[in-house]
Structures are given as C-alpha cells and as structure tokens.
Amino acid sequence: MLADTFGRPLLFRITPGQASDIASAPALLEGQWAKAVLADKAYDGNDLRARIAAMKAEAVIPSRRNRKVAIPHDVGAYKHRNQIERCFGRLKHFRRFATCYDRRTAHFTGFVHLAAAMIWLR
C-alpha cells in the first residue's frame, strides 16, 4: 500500500500471501512524485533504491542486518513512517478488511476501495 504524508491510502495492490512486500513496491511507485520514500527494512533492495533515485527522491529505508555495507538513512524522517501503520490501523477497524472474509480478489479489492474512501472522508 502507498500512503501520503497524512496516512491516507493512495494506491494498493493485492498480492498472494506468500509474495514478498518488495515485489509490488516498484509498481506502486510508478508515476509517483515524492521528496522522500519511507519504508521499513523489508524494502531494502538495490533495485528499489535505484527506482527511488530515478524519481529524484530520498530513500529513507534502514539497511538490513545482512547488508555488507550499511546505507545510512535519515532517522528523523524515518520516525514519520508510522503514518502507513496508522493507515493500516484505520483500515483494520473494518472487520471485513482485517479478517479477509472475501474469497474473491475482486470483492476484497472493492471493499478496500470503499474503506479507503471512508478513511479519506475523516
């Protein structure tokens, strides 16, 4: 999921449960503009960092523990990453989102659109 500075959902992509988070990140960033992209350690990859640099944005992503040379990040800016967590927290207030009752991806996607619209109205 891609969220703005205020923790409001902008884009999302439904992926299988076994898919890694970083696999869908480049598609979400396609055509976006930002000064900085904040993400957690799961998104630490050279390809994603190159995509963010191509956007002329700063990658505020802490390095994974197994990276040979740690890449520094702006700790002050990283503190604002909680906005995406707040966004997920707001979405999880909708029981249907939190428990994934829908068996079809189209139904779940439709409900996520509805829940995201309701969050934007707050």
Side-chain angles (χ1 to χ4, degrees):
M1 179 175 291
L2 184 68
D4 67 358
T5 307
F6 302 109
R8 297 177 299 198
L10 297 175
L11 291 172
F12 67 93
R13 176 165 264 197
I14 307 293
T15 58
Q18 70 273 15
S20 67
D21 293 337
I22 197 169
S24 62
L28 291 174
L29 292 175
E30 190 71 35
Q32 297 296 319
W33 179 89
K35 291 182 182 178
V37 176
L38 285 69
D40 60 3
K41 290 182 181 184
Y43 295 92
D44 179 29
N46 294 333
D47 294 338
L48 183 60
R49 286 182 183 271
R51 172 77 58 130
I52 294 169
M55 291 172 50
K56 296 183 174 97
E58 178 187 1
V60 184
I61 304 171
S63 297
R64 288 187 181 172
R65 208 179 307 180
N66 62 353
R67 191 179 270 277
K68 295 202 189 257
V69 178
I71 299 172
H73 67 282
D74 185 359
V75 177
Y78 186 71
K79 289 181 180 180
H80 296 285
R81 194 188 66 79
N82 69 28
Q83 296 296 339
I84 187 70
E85 300 301 332
R86 290 181 188 185
C87 177
F88 275 110
R90 285 186 204 110
L91 285 171
K92 287 183 179 179
H93 284 271
F94 299 97
R95 185 173 177 205
R96 188 170 167 183
F97 176 85
T99 56
C100 302
Y101 281 139
D102 295 315
R103 293 182 185 198
R104 298 187 185 269
T105 305
H107 297 166
F108 185 69
T109 302
F111 181 75
V112 173
H113 279 287
L114 178 64
M118 292 175 75
I119 288 174
W120 265 87
L121 295 174
R122 287 186 188 183

